[in-house]
Amino acid sequence: MKIIKGRILQFVGNPFELPIEKSVKFYDSGSLLIKGKFIEEIDDYSVLKKKHPGADIYDYKDNLITAGFIDNHMHYPQTGIIASYGKRLLDWLEKYTFPEEAKFKNIDYARNISSLTLDICLKNGTTTMASFCTSSPTSVGVFFEEARKRKMSVVAGKTCMDRNAPKDLIDNVQSSYCDSEKLIKKWHKNDRAVYAISPRFAITSSPEQLECLGSLWSNYPDCIMQTHLAEQKEEIEWVKKLFPKSKTYLDVYNKFGLVEKNSLFGHSIHLQDREIKILEEKKSSIAHCPTSNMFIGSGIFELSKLSKNNINIGLGTDTGGGTSFSMLSTMSAAYKIGQLNGQSIHPAQLFWLATVGSSRSLNLESEIGNISEGFYADLVVINLKSTKEIEQRAEKATNFWEEVFPTLIMGDDRAIETTWVSGKEALK
Ligand SMILES: [Zn+2]
């Protein structure tokens, strides 16, 4: 048994619905009892130390311990093209993304980038991510294998696309069904892996492919369905031309049975009221990807409006369209986009988006995303004084949130003291 000691932040309610003080529980001298992979008890250190005198102690002093970050939307095969210059979404896919993704038929290349990306994520305090792979099944298998080596829970799937992409990347209706199903049978709920049926977006899937993936999902409804929605205006115009009978972009997915509780829509910036209503009715989730929205120039996400409509929202880096693997940098960007939209997102709400909100999107809210008894011990230990600039500001703080905020706005991987996965320290 292990006891992890530090300052502990736990959610007991949703800070978008309740006053902050009623949604958060804070232990200033807290501790967690870890048994195997799981959190067994949470209490003040003095209490747990007395109860379990034989436990190994990991003393993180005044560092903050929260649930590990969950990146709700990313593309691990795009790690090699992060920070590519000068294009908007559709040109960016053509110039940078597709040529890079074509390399992932090579198993060694796919394994190297899988391994690199997972290590970078752990260094940044991210313990789970939902990632698109490429259209090659090889890219999915090695990603799950590398995650399993690290005892991480990852959500991933083969990107399906049968049109409007280069020949060497496209699949077809039948192969997308068969390859996805084979991967589901091998990987879904295998140890900590979760499969996501993943049409890239409506532009690169024919109606027949979307229909067939809808039917696949109805056979495996506890898989996640991840795709993109209403990211850029040019994209929406093209979708209108490809699906002239659909009233909205979301209607395209809805028609084929792809809008349900386990649907996770990346971006969702330019939504019509009708689309918001359907997302609310179906209890679908949205992955907000603020660094990507700024970098590719996609637009201003309406967090306040969507959360008032009871739509669950998580936070994603969207690397390589996003500009950082750090969920701290991503929280900082979410705050800035909120400001542009007239909303000052509270630090507790930023943490919620990066942990509980993201876990709900992945149907994993009873296992990860919070510090709770029986949950996996997937944790991040955060140094709130990681640089001189942050330290001098944190020292002037008059309350806890004021002390945390400089790290959320200015912090990066230097603030990550360590990361725990499945009850073990993942970084040493
Ligand atoms: Zn994306």
Side-chain angles (χ1 to χ4, degrees), residues 31-233:
S31 61
L32 307 173
L33 181 75
I34 309 294
K35 207 171 170 186
K37 297 174 184 172
F38 302 101
I39 300 169
E40 181 97 350
E41 275 183 80
I42 308 154
D43 214 326
D44 287 328
Y45 178 64
S46 56
V47 176
L48 286 191
K49 172 83 179 119
K50 211 175 197 177
K51 267 172 92 175
H52 306 282
D56 296 329
I57 310 291
Y58 294 76
D59 185 356
Y60 292 116
K61 302 195 167 36
D62 60 353
N63 287 317
L64 179 67
I65 302 170
T66 76
F69 298 135
I70 301 172
D71 185 342
N72 228 195
H73 179 113
M74 59 115 73
H75 300 254
Y76 97 80
Q78 295 175 17
T79 292
I81 55 152
I82 193 168
S84 291
Y85 173 77
K87 298 286 174 190
R88 287 179 64 77
L89 175 65
L90 300 172
D91 313 313
W92 182 84
L93 284 170
E94 205 172 302
K95 176 158 168 91
Y96 298 115
T97 308
F98 291 150
E100 179 66 13
E101 290 193 0
K103 298 177 188 169
F104 283 71
K105 281 180 185 156
N106 178 319
I107 191 164
D108 294 332
Y109 192 79
R111 189 176 296 285
N112 283 341
I113 302 293
S114 293
S115 174
L116 173 69
T117 306
L118 291 166
D119 287 344
I120 292 172
C121 289
L122 287 172
K123 190 162 76 81
N124 280 286
T126 300
T127 47
T128 288
M129 71 285 298
S131 181
F132 287 76
C133 300
T134 72
S135 53
S136 156
T138 304
S139 72
V140 187
V142 294
F143 188 65
F144 279 132
E145 282 168 20
E146 290 300 314
R148 186 166 60 185
K149 275 188 203 162
R150 291 161 178 82
K151 305 188 187 326
M152 293 169 79
S153 174
V154 298
V155 179
K158 171 195 136 64
T159 297
C160 299
M161 42 184 191
D162 66 346
R163 65 174 175 177
N164 295 322
K167 269 193 190 138
D168 56 347
L169 276 177
I170 60 171
D171 51 21
N172 58 53
V173 175
Q174 201 186 352
S175 72
S176 63
Y177 187 101
C178 294
D179 288 344
S180 299
E181 187 175 42
K182 261 189 225 159
L183 289 162
I184 291 169
K185 284 184 174 163
K186 177 157 187 199
W187 286 107
H188 184 55
K189 303 285 180 186
N190 177 344
D191 198 1
R192 300 195 65 187
V194 174
Y195 195 83
I197 294 170
S198 309
R200 174 169 238 123
F201 60 166
I203 289 173
T204 47
S205 285
S206 63
E208 295 75 20
Q209 182 170 62
L210 292 174
E211 186 176 15
C212 139
L213 293 175
S215 127
L216 175 68
W217 195 24
S218 68
N219 293 333
Y220 302 94
D222 66 339
C223 287
I224 298 299
M225 193 296 299
Q226 61 176 355
T227 189
H228 296 81
L229 174 69
E231 182 176 357
Q232 291 206 339
K233 289 186 174 163

